[in-house]
Amino acid sequence: MRVGYLAVDHVAAHLRHIAGDYLDMFTALFAEHAPDLELVPHDVIGGEPLPAPDAYDAVLIPGSRHGVDEDTAGWVAALTDFVREADAARTPLVGICFGHQLIAHALGGRVVRATNGWGVGVHEAQVVAHETWMEPELDRFRLLVSHQDQVALLPQGAELLATSHHAPIAAFRRGHVLGLQGHPEFVPGYAEALMAERIERIGPDVVETSRATLEQPTDHGVVARWIRRFLATTDADATRP
């Protein structure tokens, strides 16, 4: 399955020794847990043109330091339009963190700054709706997170899949669209380095508490397999115009 990977941010050069760029993190994740997914990168934030909405079997929009309302270079608006066009073309879409927020925003939901501050470290989400592609089945899953914006209102027709104490909408599905607030691709070393870089913005107390969670095991492998099964099921069900 060929998946268009729309790069909306890059790891700072001085941190790439930890796990590479974001594309490298996703490539490593899927190589282990979903090896038949082929990521085809498009450097959207770097100015590379967006692909046609139906150019790939699916599209992945990862995380970004930017927000859905930040658009000094114009790429956020272009990507928002792309999401709507891809949705109309019934192209399976997966959004991670910023991608999760942008997809919700593009399809009529609402994204806000979290009133409870930054979410960082390992967070646990409770599954509130089990779907057939969520195998192996878990009632709760843990992922590394790093965000201060979050989805506050789902698009019309979307179903809440998971919720957490920090992000009430931790995962959702809307037909052939899947959004996840957590980062299955992150590794603890990179999460810790990000917290250290942003300690003044996040707050020393929050960073100290969150660092202690990094020793907790995560369910990144399970979530990667969920994504693969979601895409397989959705692609099989999709009827492209």
Side-chain angles (χ1 to χ4, degrees), residues 50 68 70-71 73-84 102 105:
L50 285 158
V68 299
E70 299 176 27
D71 200 21
W75 64 267
V76 176
L79 186 56
T80 301
D81 289 340
F82 172 88
V83 167
R84 294 172 181 145
L102 182 82
H105 169 75

Side-chain angles (χ1 to χ4, degrees), residues 1 24 27 38 79 97 100 129 134 140-141 149 160 163 176 182 193 204 208 213 219 225:
M1 178 175 283
D24 299 312
T27 298
E38 177 193 356
L79 186 56
C97 195
H100 159 81
M134 296 169 75
R140 298 174 181 273
F141 62 91
D149 292 344
L160 179 66
T163 183
H176 46 277
E208 182 180 0
T213 69
D219 297 295
R225 292 194 291 276

Side-chain angles (χ1 to χ4, degrees), residues 123-138:
H123 283 203
E124 183 177 82
Q126 179 180 357
V127 176
V128 296
H130 289 280
E131 302 214 339
T132 57
W133 48 267
M134 296 169 75
E135 283 288 335
E137 185 175 310
L138 295 178

